[in-house]
Amino acid sequence: YIGDATKAHNKGGYDSGNPKHVLVPSLQSTLDYTVKIVHQTNAGLILYWGDDNMDGRYERTINPVNPTTGLTNPNIYLVTSYGSAAGANKEIKVEIARLPPITVPGALYVEAPTNILGNAKVFGMDQCGGANVPGVVTSLAADQVSTGPNSTVTGSSPPGSEDGDPPSIKPDAMNMDIQAMINSQKEAANFVYNVPSANHTGMNWGTPTPAPPPDSLQKPSSCNTKNIVYYNTWNGSNFTDIKLAGGTTGCGILLVEGDLDINGGFSWHGLVIVSGSVKYTGGGDKNITGGVLAGGSATADVIGGNTNIVYCSSAIGDQTEDQPLRNLSWMDKI
Protein backbone atom coordinates (compact mmCIF):
# COMPACT_ATOMS: atom_id res chain seq x y z
CA TYR A 1 0.00 0.00 0.00
CA ILE A 2 1.06 3.59 -0.68
CA GLY A 3 -0.70 6.26 1.37
CA ASP A 4 -1.65 6.77 4.98
CA ALA A 5 -2.85 3.92 7.22
CA THR A 6 -6.43 5.08 7.64
CA LYS A 7 -7.10 5.61 3.93
CA ALA A 8 -5.27 2.40 3.00
CA HIS A 9 -7.49 0.52 5.46
CA ASN A 10 -10.74 2.14 4.37
CA LYS A 11 -10.16 1.95 0.63
CA GLY A 12 -7.84 -1.01 0.13
CA GLY A 13 -8.33 -3.23 3.16
CA TYR A 14 -4.94 -2.57 4.74
CA ASP A 15 -4.45 -4.52 7.99
CA SER A 16 -1.48 -3.44 10.11
CA GLY A 17 -1.59 -6.80 11.90
CA ASN A 18 -1.16 -8.80 8.69
CA PRO A 19 2.56 -9.56 8.11
CA LYS A 20 1.89 -9.77 4.36
CA HIS A 21 0.63 -6.17 4.25
CA VAL A 22 3.27 -3.47 3.82
CA LEU A 23 2.51 0.26 4.02
CA VAL A 24 4.76 2.90 2.44
CA PRO A 25 3.83 6.49 3.39
CA SER A 26 3.08 8.79 0.49
CA LEU A 27 5.60 11.54 -0.22
CA GLN A 28 2.77 14.06 -0.65
CA SER A 29 -0.32 15.02 1.33
CA THR A 30 -2.27 17.21 -1.10
CA LEU A 31 -3.98 14.51 -3.18
CA ASP A 32 -6.46 12.15 -1.57
CA TYR A 33 -5.44 8.77 -2.95
CA THR A 34 -4.24 5.31 -1.99
CA VAL A 35 -2.43 2.74 -4.11
CA LYS A 36 -2.68 -1.00 -3.54
CA ILE A 37 -0.23 -3.44 -5.21
CA VAL A 38 -0.77 -7.22 -5.16
CA HIS A 39 0.30 -10.25 -7.17
CA GLN A 40 -2.20 -10.89 -9.95
CA THR A 41 -3.94 -14.26 -9.46
CA ASN A 42 -6.44 -16.52 -11.15
CA ALA A 43 -8.39 -19.07 -9.11
CA GLY A 44 -5.92 -18.58 -6.29
CA LEU A 45 -2.83 -19.16 -8.47
CA ILE A 46 -0.21 -16.44 -8.89
CA LEU A 47 0.14 -15.35 -12.52
CA TYR A 48 3.38 -14.69 -14.41
CA TRP A 49 4.26 -13.15 -17.79
CA GLY A 50 6.15 -15.37 -20.22
CA ASP A 51 6.43 -17.22 -23.52
CA ASP A 52 6.10 -20.83 -22.39
CA ASN A 53 5.29 -22.24 -25.83
CA MET A 54 8.17 -20.35 -27.50
CA ASP A 55 6.07 -18.72 -30.23
CA GLY A 56 7.28 -15.17 -29.56
CA ARG A 57 4.08 -13.98 -27.87
CA TYR A 58 4.02 -13.15 -24.17
CA GLU A 59 1.02 -14.52 -22.29
CA ARG A 60 -0.23 -15.04 -18.73
CA THR A 61 1.04 -18.27 -17.22
CA ILE A 62 0.98 -20.04 -13.86
CA ASN A 63 4.59 -21.19 -14.33
CA PRO A 64 7.17 -19.12 -12.42
CA VAL A 65 9.84 -20.70 -14.62
CA ASN A 66 9.57 -21.19 -18.38
CA PRO A 67 9.30 -24.99 -18.73
CA THR A 68 11.17 -24.94 -22.05
CA THR A 69 14.08 -22.61 -21.35
CA GLY A 70 14.30 -22.76 -17.56
CA LEU A 71 14.34 -18.95 -17.47
CA THR A 72 12.35 -17.01 -14.88
CA ASN A 73 8.93 -15.65 -15.85
CA PRO A 74 8.37 -12.31 -14.04
CA ASN A 75 5.39 -11.69 -11.77
CA ILE A 76 2.31 -9.85 -12.98
CA TYR A 77 1.25 -7.16 -10.48
CA LEU A 78 -2.24 -5.73 -10.12
CA VAL A 79 -2.06 -2.06 -9.14
CA THR A 80 -5.22 -0.32 -7.95
CA SER A 81 -5.34 3.44 -7.39
CA TYR A 82 -8.21 4.84 -5.31
CA GLY A 83 -8.73 8.61 -5.60
CA SER A 84 -11.25 11.05 -4.12
CA ALA A 85 -11.98 14.73 -4.74
CA ALA A 86 -14.98 16.95 -3.95
CA GLY A 87 -17.09 13.97 -2.92
CA ALA A 88 -16.34 12.00 -6.12
CA ASN A 89 -14.42 8.71 -6.21
CA LYS A 90 -12.40 7.01 -8.95
CA GLU A 91 -10.74 3.61 -9.09
CA ILE A 92 -8.22 2.54 -11.75
CA LYS A 93 -6.76 -0.97 -12.03
CA VAL A 94 -3.62 -1.70 -14.05
CA GLU A 95 -1.74 -4.95 -14.73
CA ILE A 96 2.01 -4.45 -14.99
CA ALA A 97 5.00 -6.78 -15.43
CA ARG A 98 8.60 -6.81 -16.49
CA LEU A 99 9.40 -8.41 -19.83
CA PRO A 100 11.06 -11.83 -19.69
CA PRO A 101 14.03 -12.58 -21.97
CA ILE A 102 13.08 -12.58 -25.64
CA THR A 103 12.55 -16.04 -27.15
CA VAL A 104 15.47 -16.93 -29.43
CA PRO A 105 15.36 -20.61 -30.52
CA GLY A 106 18.58 -20.51 -32.55
CA ALA A 107 21.42 -18.23 -33.56
CA LEU A 108 19.41 -17.54 -36.73
CA TYR A 109 15.65 -18.05 -37.09
CA VAL A 110 13.99 -17.77 -40.54
CA GLU A 111 10.59 -18.42 -42.12
CA ALA A 112 11.56 -18.46 -45.81
CA PRO A 113 14.17 -20.24 -47.99
CA THR A 114 17.61 -19.19 -46.77
CA ASN A 115 21.14 -19.29 -48.19
CA ILE A 116 24.25 -19.38 -46.01
CA LEU A 117 26.95 -18.79 -48.62
CA GLY A 118 30.49 -17.53 -49.03
CA ASN A 119 32.48 -17.41 -45.79
CA ALA A 120 29.39 -16.97 -43.61
CA LYS A 121 29.49 -18.63 -40.18
CA VAL A 122 26.58 -19.24 -37.80
CA PHE A 123 27.44 -20.49 -34.30
CA GLY A 124 24.65 -21.91 -32.14
CA MET A 125 26.96 -23.14 -29.39
CA ASP A 126 26.45 -20.62 -26.61
CA GLN A 127 29.64 -18.59 -26.32
CA CYS A 128 28.47 -17.04 -23.04
CA GLY A 129 27.95 -20.06 -20.78
CA GLY A 130 24.26 -20.84 -21.34
CA ALA A 131 22.47 -23.67 -23.13
CA ASN A 132 23.43 -24.40 -26.73
CA VAL A 133 20.89 -23.95 -29.53
CA PRO A 134 20.80 -24.98 -33.20
CA GLY A 135 22.70 -22.76 -35.57
CA VAL A 136 19.69 -22.21 -37.82
CA VAL A 137 16.03 -22.76 -36.94
CA THR A 138 13.41 -22.63 -39.69
CA SER A 139 9.67 -23.17 -39.88
CA LEU A 140 10.26 -24.82 -43.27
CA ALA A 141 11.74 -28.16 -44.29
CA ALA A 142 15.47 -28.71 -43.83
CA ASP A 143 16.16 -28.56 -47.58
CA GLN A 144 14.99 -24.93 -47.60
CA VAL A 145 18.22 -23.89 -45.85
CA SER A 146 21.25 -24.19 -48.13
CA THR A 147 24.90 -23.81 -47.20
CA GLY A 148 27.93 -23.21 -49.38
CA PRO A 149 31.22 -25.14 -49.42
CA ASN A 150 32.99 -22.50 -47.33
CA SER A 151 30.15 -21.59 -44.98
CA THR A 152 29.77 -23.01 -41.46
CA VAL A 153 26.69 -23.74 -39.36
CA THR A 154 27.27 -25.26 -35.92
CA GLY A 155 25.13 -25.73 -32.84
CA SER A 156 23.32 -28.29 -30.75
CA SER A 157 21.74 -31.33 -32.39
CA PRO A 158 18.05 -30.48 -32.75
CA PRO A 159 15.75 -32.85 -30.81
CA GLY A 160 13.85 -35.20 -33.11
CA SER A 161 16.30 -34.82 -35.98
CA GLU A 162 15.89 -37.41 -38.67
CA ASP A 163 18.51 -39.10 -40.80
CA GLY A 164 19.39 -36.82 -43.66
CA ASP A 165 18.69 -33.59 -41.78
CA PRO A 166 21.67 -31.21 -41.89
CA PRO A 167 23.43 -31.05 -38.52
CA SER A 168 22.77 -27.92 -36.46
CA ILE A 169 19.77 -26.92 -38.59
CA LYS A 170 16.36 -27.42 -36.96
CA PRO A 171 13.55 -27.68 -39.54
CA ASP A 172 9.76 -27.70 -39.14
CA ALA A 173 9.90 -25.44 -36.09
CA MET A 174 6.94 -23.56 -34.68
CA ASN A 175 6.14 -20.47 -36.71
CA MET A 176 7.04 -17.58 -34.41
CA ASP A 177 5.09 -14.33 -34.29
CA ILE A 178 7.90 -11.95 -35.23
CA GLN A 179 5.54 -8.99 -35.54
CA ALA A 180 4.31 -9.52 -31.97
CA MET A 181 7.93 -9.52 -30.79
CA ILE A 182 8.57 -6.21 -32.56
CA ASN A 183 5.36 -4.76 -31.14
CA SER A 184 6.40 -5.71 -27.59
CA GLN A 185 9.61 -3.69 -27.91
CA LYS A 186 9.08 -0.80 -30.32
CA GLU A 187 7.20 1.47 -27.90
CA ALA A 188 10.30 1.50 -25.70
CA ALA A 189 12.63 2.42 -28.59
CA ASN A 190 14.95 5.35 -27.93
CA PHE A 191 15.84 5.65 -31.63
CA VAL A 192 12.88 5.68 -34.06
CA TYR A 193 13.11 6.04 -37.84
CA ASN A 194 10.07 6.19 -40.14
CA VAL A 195 11.85 5.87 -43.48
CA PRO A 196 10.63 3.79 -46.47
CA SER A 197 13.31 2.45 -48.83
CA ALA A 198 16.10 4.39 -47.15
CA ASN A 199 19.89 4.04 -47.08
CA HIS A 200 21.61 4.95 -43.80
CA THR A 201 25.40 5.04 -43.65
CA GLY A 202 27.77 4.91 -40.71
CA MET A 203 25.11 4.74 -38.00
CA ASN A 204 26.37 4.35 -34.43
CA TRP A 205 24.13 3.18 -31.57
CA GLY A 206 26.99 1.88 -29.43
CA THR A 207 30.30 0.22 -30.23
CA PRO A 208 30.73 -3.48 -29.41
CA THR A 209 34.17 -4.47 -28.16
CA PRO A 210 35.39 -7.48 -30.16
CA ALA A 211 36.85 -10.50 -28.42
CA PRO A 212 40.66 -10.60 -28.35
CA PRO A 213 42.44 -12.68 -30.99
CA PRO A 214 42.80 -15.37 -32.04
CA ASP A 215 39.43 -16.17 -33.60
CA SER A 216 38.00 -12.85 -32.41
CA LEU A 217 35.35 -12.94 -35.13
CA GLN A 218 34.07 -16.29 -33.85
CA LYS A 219 33.88 -15.24 -30.19
CA PRO A 220 31.32 -12.96 -28.52
CA SER A 221 31.77 -9.22 -28.42
CA SER A 222 30.91 -7.21 -25.30
CA CYS A 223 29.01 -3.98 -24.72
CA ASN A 224 27.37 -2.23 -21.77
CA THR A 225 25.15 0.02 -23.89
CA LYS A 226 21.47 -0.96 -24.29
CA ASN A 227 19.60 0.83 -27.04
CA ILE A 228 16.38 -0.08 -28.81
CA VAL A 229 16.49 1.02 -32.44
CA TYR A 230 13.26 0.82 -34.43
CA TYR A 231 12.85 1.19 -38.21
CA ASN A 232 9.39 1.53 -39.73
CA THR A 233 9.69 1.20 -43.52
CA TRP A 234 5.96 1.58 -44.33
CA ASN A 235 5.45 3.68 -47.49
CA GLY A 236 1.68 4.06 -47.19
CA SER A 237 0.93 0.85 -49.07
CA ASN A 238 3.38 -1.76 -47.83
CA PHE A 239 6.58 -2.26 -45.85
CA THR A 240 9.77 -1.65 -47.85
CA ASP A 241 13.39 -1.90 -46.69
CA ILE A 242 16.25 -0.18 -44.91
CA LYS A 243 19.88 -0.51 -45.99
CA LEU A 244 22.53 -0.04 -43.31
CA ALA A 245 25.96 0.58 -44.80
CA GLY A 246 29.34 2.09 -44.10
CA GLY A 247 30.38 0.40 -40.85
CA THR A 248 27.17 0.65 -38.82
CA THR A 249 27.52 -0.44 -35.17
CA GLY A 250 25.13 -0.87 -32.26
CA CYS A 251 24.32 -2.52 -28.93
CA GLY A 252 20.85 -3.54 -27.82
CA ILE A 253 17.84 -4.50 -29.93
CA LEU A 254 17.49 -3.61 -33.62
CA LEU A 255 13.86 -3.78 -34.79
CA VAL A 256 12.95 -3.54 -38.47
CA GLU A 257 9.42 -3.63 -39.88
CA GLY A 258 10.23 -4.54 -43.46
CA ASP A 259 13.44 -5.92 -44.99
CA LEU A 260 16.96 -5.29 -43.74
CA ASP A 261 19.93 -5.03 -46.10
CA ILE A 262 23.31 -4.93 -44.34
CA ASN A 263 25.96 -3.72 -46.76
CA GLY A 264 29.64 -3.61 -45.88
CA GLY A 265 30.97 -3.63 -42.33
CA PHE A 266 28.47 -4.14 -39.52
CA SER A 267 28.81 -4.94 -35.81
CA TRP A 268 25.93 -5.57 -33.38
CA HIS A 269 25.79 -6.83 -29.78
CA GLY A 270 22.32 -8.01 -28.80
CA LEU A 271 19.33 -8.92 -30.95
CA VAL A 272 18.29 -8.19 -34.52
CA ILE A 273 14.55 -8.74 -35.14
CA VAL A 274 13.22 -8.20 -38.67
CA SER A 275 9.65 -8.77 -39.84
CA GLY A 276 10.82 -9.39 -43.42
CA SER A 277 14.06 -10.72 -44.88
CA VAL A 278 17.70 -10.09 -43.99
CA LYS A 279 20.43 -9.80 -46.59
CA TYR A 280 24.16 -9.41 -46.02
CA THR A 281 26.04 -8.02 -49.01
CA GLY A 282 29.28 -6.30 -49.89
CA GLY A 283 32.73 -6.56 -48.39
CA GLY A 284 33.76 -6.03 -44.80
CA ASP A 285 33.17 -8.03 -41.64
CA LYS A 286 29.57 -8.36 -40.46
CA ASN A 287 29.39 -9.60 -36.88
CA ILE A 288 26.39 -10.15 -34.62
CA THR A 289 26.76 -11.39 -31.05
CA GLY A 290 23.37 -12.51 -29.74
CA GLY A 291 20.88 -13.70 -32.35
CA VAL A 292 18.88 -12.88 -35.47
CA LEU A 293 15.12 -13.44 -35.89
CA ALA A 294 13.67 -12.93 -39.38
CA GLY A 295 10.05 -13.28 -40.45
CA GLY A 296 11.29 -13.86 -43.98
CA SER A 297 14.50 -15.28 -45.38
CA ALA A 298 18.19 -14.68 -44.73
CA THR A 299 20.81 -14.48 -47.43
CA ALA A 300 24.28 -14.26 -45.99
CA ASP A 301 27.46 -13.17 -47.72
CA VAL A 302 26.23 -13.17 -51.32
CA ILE A 303 29.00 -10.92 -52.59
CA GLY A 304 31.96 -10.91 -50.25
CA GLY A 305 33.33 -10.26 -46.82
CA ASN A 306 32.73 -12.32 -43.69
CA THR A 307 29.38 -12.76 -41.95
CA ASN A 308 29.41 -14.12 -38.39
CA ILE A 309 26.39 -14.73 -36.15
CA VAL A 310 27.56 -15.81 -32.69
CA TYR A 311 24.84 -16.98 -30.29
CA CYS A 312 25.24 -15.51 -26.80
CA SER A 313 22.51 -15.99 -24.18
CA SER A 314 23.65 -13.11 -21.95
CA ALA A 315 23.71 -10.67 -24.90
CA ILE A 316 20.05 -11.59 -25.39
CA GLY A 317 18.92 -11.74 -21.75
CA ASP A 318 20.63 -8.49 -20.79
CA GLN A 319 18.44 -6.50 -23.16
CA THR A 320 15.22 -6.86 -21.15
CA GLU A 321 16.41 -7.14 -17.54
CA ASP A 322 16.63 -3.37 -16.92
CA GLN A 323 13.59 -2.30 -18.91
CA PRO A 324 10.76 -0.59 -17.01
CA LEU A 325 7.54 -2.35 -16.09
CA ARG A 326 5.06 -2.64 -18.95
CA ASN A 327 1.34 -1.93 -18.87
CA LEU A 328 -0.46 -5.16 -19.86
CA SER A 329 -4.05 -3.98 -19.31
CA TRP A 330 -6.00 -1.30 -17.45
CA MET A 331 -9.56 -0.62 -16.35
CA ASP A 332 -11.22 2.62 -15.30
CA LYS A 333 -13.73 1.64 -12.61
CA ILE A 334 -16.15 4.34 -11.46
Side-chain angles (χ1 to χ4, degrees):
Y1 297 85
I2 302 174
D4 68 52
T6 300
K7 293 176 181 177
H9 172 75
N10 293 337
K11 295 183 178 181
Y14 169 67
D15 180 0
S16 60
N18 189 331
K20 292 186 178 181
H21 287 194
V22 177
L23 178 67
V24 178
S26 173
L27 295 179
Q28 63 83 46
S29 59
T30 302
L31 299 177
D32 183 4
Y33 80 96
T34 299
V35 176
K36 178 182 179 181
I37 305 171
V38 299
H39 290 113
Q40 179 64 295
T41 61
N42 182 30
L45 299 174
I46 294 177
L47 294 180
Y48 303 87
W49 193 240
D51 181 19
D52 288 358
N53 62 358
M54 303 287 286
D55 65 353
R57 292 188 293 268
Y58 295 128
E59 298 169 325
R60 294 167 181 82
T61 175
I62 61 173
N63 298 313
V65 176
N66 186 307
T68 302
T69 64
L71 299 175
T72 300
N73 288 328
N75 286 100
I76 299 175
Y77 298 99
L78 179 62
V79 182
T80 306
S81 178
Y82 307 90
S84 300
N89 298 300
K90 178 74 76 173
E91 179 179 328
I92 295 178
K93 292 180 178 289
V94 182
E95 282 185 307
I96 58 175
R98 295 193 183 279
L99 289 184
I102 298 172
T103 299
V104 181
L108 171 64
Y109 169 84
V110 291
E111 296 179 356
T114 291
N115 301 308
I116 311 297
L117 305 173
N119 294 316
K121 297 178 175 61
V122 181
F123 300 98
M125 309 302 285
D126 193 345
Q127 302 295 305
C128 301
N132 299 324
V133 298
V136 179
V137 174
T138 178
S139 58
L140 305 178
D143 61 6
Q144 297 301 298
V145 177
S146 63
T147 58
N150 297 319
S151 60
T152 302
V153 178
T154 63
S156 62
S157 298
S161 296
E162 300 177 358
D163 292 340
D165 284 347
S168 303
I169 296 177
K170 180 181 179 180
D172 305 316
M174 177 183 294
N175 198 329
M176 300 184 70
D177 193 337
I178 300 298
Q179 186 61 56
M181 301 176 78
I182 292 175
N183 291 343
S184 71
Q185 296 289 333
K186 66 183 184 182
E187 291 184 1
N190 54 326
F191 293 93
V192 177
Y193 305 91
N194 296 298
V195 285
S197 299
N199 186 345
H200 284 183
T201 300
M203 305 299 287
N204 186 308
W205 303 290
T207 305
T209 301
D215 300 326
S216 59
L217 297 181
Q218 301 176 22
K219 299 296 183 181
S221 63
S222 60
C223 189
N224 293 323
T225 304
K226 297 177 184 177
N227 290 312
I228 300 180
V229 180
Y230 168 57
Y231 275 96
N232 172 17
T233 70
W234 183 256
N235 65 2
S237 301
N238 55 271
F239 288 109
T240 59
D241 64 281
I242 177 67
K243 176 183 284 187
L244 297 178
T248 291
T249 66
C251 304
I253 304 174
L254 174 60
L255 307 169
V256 177
E257 286 192 274
D259 296 334
L260 172 62
D261 185 352
I262 298 173
N263 182 264
F266 179 81
S267 179
W268 192 271
H269 181 92
L271 271 171
V272 177
I273 307 177
V274 181
S275 66
S277 296
V278 180
K279 182 166 64 175
Y280 302 84
T281 62
D285 294 329
K286 292 168 277 288
N287 300 296
I288 296 175
T289 290
V292 178
L293 303 168
S297 62
T299 302
D301 202 13
V302 296
I303 295 179
N306 296 295
T307 297
N308 295 278
I309 301 175
V310 179
Y311 178 77
C312 173
S313 56
S314 61
I316 296 167
D318 288 351
Q319 303 311 319
T320 55
E321 66 178 7
D322 294 330
Q323 289 191 18
L325 294 160
R326 300 297 180 89
N327 183 352
L328 307 183
S329 69
W330 71 279
M331 177 177 67
D332 186 347
K333 184 177 179 180
I334 298 176

